[in-house]
Amino acid sequence: MKTICFYFQIHQPFRLKRYRFFDIGADHYYYDDFSNEDIIHGIAHRSYLPANDLMLDLIKQYNGKFRVAYSISGVALEQLEIYVPEVIDSFKELAKTGCVEFLAETYDHSLSSMEDPEEFRKQVKNHSDKIELLFGQKPKTFRNTELIYSDDIAHLVAEMGYKTMLTEGAKHVLGWKSPNYLYASAAVPKLKLLTRNMKHSDDISFRFSNYDWSEYPLVADKFINWIANTPDEEQLVNIFMNYEVLGSWQTYETGIFEFFRHIPRIAFERGIGFSTPTEVAKIMKPAGYLSVPYPCSWSGEEKDTSPWTGNILQQEALQKLYGIAEKVHMVQDRRILQDWNYLQSSDHFNFMSTKLFSGPSVYSPYENAYDAFNNYMNVLSDFIERVNTQFPEGVENEELNALLTTILNQEEEIKKLEKKLRAKKVVASPKSVVEKNSSAKLAKKTN
């Protein structure tokens, strides 16, 4: 039986305000609160809330047979909690159905998987904890920022205990292979990979309302027929997209909501079901192995990481940011740590892309990539000054490394002692119960 795996990304960065050179050292607040609130409110009411209502209706209408997955960045969750908490409530309702899977990712929607493995592990843990706190699920499947994946990243993800990961079905990765199979990592065979079906995903995301597209209009019957007509051995179709496709990228007037409303009925009529990523990994066996020596992503025609690291502006900004990481890891100041998180969002580096933003664009708050770079570097300069004030002058990275190693060793020792203490409590527990019961019996006889 063929199955469709629907996955939706939800992410919004904390956008930076206009921060001038003369603000460095004088103003330590970096964010455009008005813009952030306005954007998240607009998207929530155009997209997230009506889309969640639709998904909940479909799950109930088909008695739990319709299933979807979401990955919501930590910084997006924070904005939703602050500005539109009703969206969080609607996701909690979806979580209660048991038909929705929440995936793990980097808390800050960052590029740390390529820049700082230790920071990467920390963010993934923080994000997983946040998801469990809000929705009662411990994520089992991992989805990296912008579906970035490589053999090196596979090792990091597997070391953290994840057995399933999402990535792009890029042509230079798959070669002659079809994305409609479950695969495994060639570097870490125990890590299973779900590859995005680019064509069908982009048909909905980008071509749905395009009058010039040869397949316009795209209706549910046509879409499901495409899937049903794939070779019988291709049992999996991964439709991965941004959640803003529903109501924002494709507005309500285009018919996008009605399209999704009819998808389950027609799919079930054709004998096609729906599964979450973890369910796919349980019921299917990998058809082969994928080797990805260089990072790929789901962005652009090249499907690489050039939208965030492709020019010297982006490379300089990333180098400066992660060059201060060792010191930040030793800081206890809550505001500094919060800014550290927000400044890592991949969007800041995407805005510096000269290929994407050589001039004004509705997708960037800046006039051009150079404007984005200057603004970010002004903010980063102030941030670095604040971090440096936390340490005595003249402290070298070697000294910080030694101190950090000592702290980490102490933390490991504390964890071991806590584990031994818990084990002793478990051993002592049965004896305590016996003593308690004996005391109760003795008291009863005395009375």
Side-chain angles (χ1 to χ4, degrees), residues 146-150 166-181 183 193-202 238 240 289-305 308:
E146 305 297 334
L147 290 189
I148 293 173
Y149 173 81
S150 70
L166 274 55
T167 188
E168 175 70 352
K171 292 180 180 178
H172 69 276
V173 171
L174 291 173
W176 56 267
K177 301 183 183 75
S178 166
N180 301 333
Y181 292 96
Y183 291 98
L193 301 175
L194 277 73
T195 53
R196 173 178 178 262
N197 185 305
M198 290 191 300
K199 180 185 182 305
H200 291 329
S201 298
D202 290 348
N238 297 312
F240 302 164
Y289 298 94
L290 297 180
S291 177
V292 187
Y294 304 104
C296 66
S297 78
W298 71 349
S299 183
E301 293 183 7
E302 295 85 357
K303 304 299 179 184
D304 58 13
T305 60
W308 309 277

Side-chain angles (χ1 to χ4, degrees), residues 95-110:
K96 289 177 184 177
T97 66
C99 302
V100 172
E101 180 178 3
F102 291 93
L103 312 187
E105 70 157 270
T106 56
Y107 190 96
D108 310 319
H109 202 76
S110 73

Side-chain angles (χ1 to χ4, degrees), residues 341-361:
N341 289 337
Y342 297 167
L343 290 176
Q344 289 185 70
S345 291
S346 63
D347 310 71
H348 303 309
F349 308 99
N350 184 252
F351 296 147
M352 300 176 199
S353 171
T354 48
K355 180 170 60 176
L356 299 176
F357 303 111
S358 56
S361 169

Side-chain angles (χ1 to χ4, degrees), residues 214-390:
S214 61
E215 297 293 345
Y216 180 87
L218 180 59
V219 293
D221 301 70
K222 182 190 294 186
F223 186 75
I224 294 300
N225 281 339
W226 289 344
I227 293 175
N229 291 332
T230 56
D232 292 339
E233 60 272 18
E234 296 185 9
Q235 293 290 299
L236 172 65
V237 180
N238 297 312
I239 309 297
F240 302 164
M241 64 189 78
N242 197 302
Y243 208 28
E244 292 170 42
V245 167
L246 282 86
S248 189
W249 291 10
Q250 305 294 340
T251 62
Y252 180 87
E253 292 74 20
T254 64
I256 190 69
F257 285 93
E258 286 305 304
F259 170 79
F260 269 92
R261 186 175 296 280
H262 291 291
I263 285 285
R265 175 181 60 81
I266 300 169
F268 292 135
E269 289 175 356
R270 298 298 302 270
I272 300 172
F274 298 87
S275 302
T276 63
T278 296
E279 290 171 341
V280 169
K282 285 182 179 179
I283 63 178
M284 294 186 178
K285 292 183 179 180
Y289 298 94
L290 297 180
S291 177
V292 187
Y294 304 104
C296 66
S297 78
W298 71 349
S299 183
E301 293 183 7
E302 295 85 357
K303 304 299 179 184
D304 58 13
T305 60
S306 61
W308 309 277
T309 64
N311 63 43
I312 58 174
L313 304 178
Q314 296 162 316
Q315 294 159 15
E316 172 72 10
L318 282 165
Q319 182 182 354
K320 288 288 185 183
L321 176 66
Y322 286 102
I324 199 76
E326 290 177 349
K327 288 185 177 180
V328 174
H329 290 161
M330 299 181 63
V331 169
Q332 300 299 317
D333 188 300
R334 187 185 63 82
R335 282 289 304 277
I336 287 179
L337 293 176
Q338 186 180 61
D339 292 336
W340 168 248
N341 289 337
Y342 297 167
L343 290 176
Q344 289 185 70
S345 291
S346 63
D347 310 71
H348 303 309
F349 308 99
N350 184 252
F351 296 147
M352 300 176 199
S353 171
T354 48
K355 180 170 60 176
L356 299 176
F357 303 111
S358 56
S361 169
V362 295
Y363 298 108
S364 172
Y366 302 99
E367 289 296 317
N368 52 56
Y370 302 97
D371 188 23
F373 173 76
N374 288 332
N375 199 70
Y376 183 84
M377 294 304 286
N378 286 339
V379 168
L380 188 57
S381 295
D382 182 80
F383 176 75
I384 291 173
E385 283 188 9
R386 289 167 58 206
V387 172
N388 286 333
T389 59
Q390 300 287 311

Side-chain angles (χ1 to χ4, degrees), residues 65-123:
K65 293 180 180 180
F66 179 73
R67 311 174 83 79
V68 294
Y70 296 96
S71 179
I72 315 174
S73 71
V75 290
L77 287 170
E78 286 188 23
Q79 291 186 71
L80 292 173
E81 288 179 298
I82 295 169
Y83 300 121
V84 273
E86 58 268 35
V87 175
I88 298 293
D89 293 336
S90 67
F91 275 115
K92 288 180 179 179
E93 288 299 312
L94 284 170
K96 289 177 184 177
T97 66
C99 302
V100 172
E101 180 178 3
F102 291 93
L103 312 187
E105 70 157 270
T106 56
Y107 190 96
D108 310 319
H109 202 76
S110 73
L111 304 173
S112 57
S113 61
M114 299 184 294
E115 300 291 335
D116 188 334
E118 190 59 38
E119 176 66 21
F120 176 66
R121 295 186 189 95
K122 177 183 173 184
Q123 286 188 30

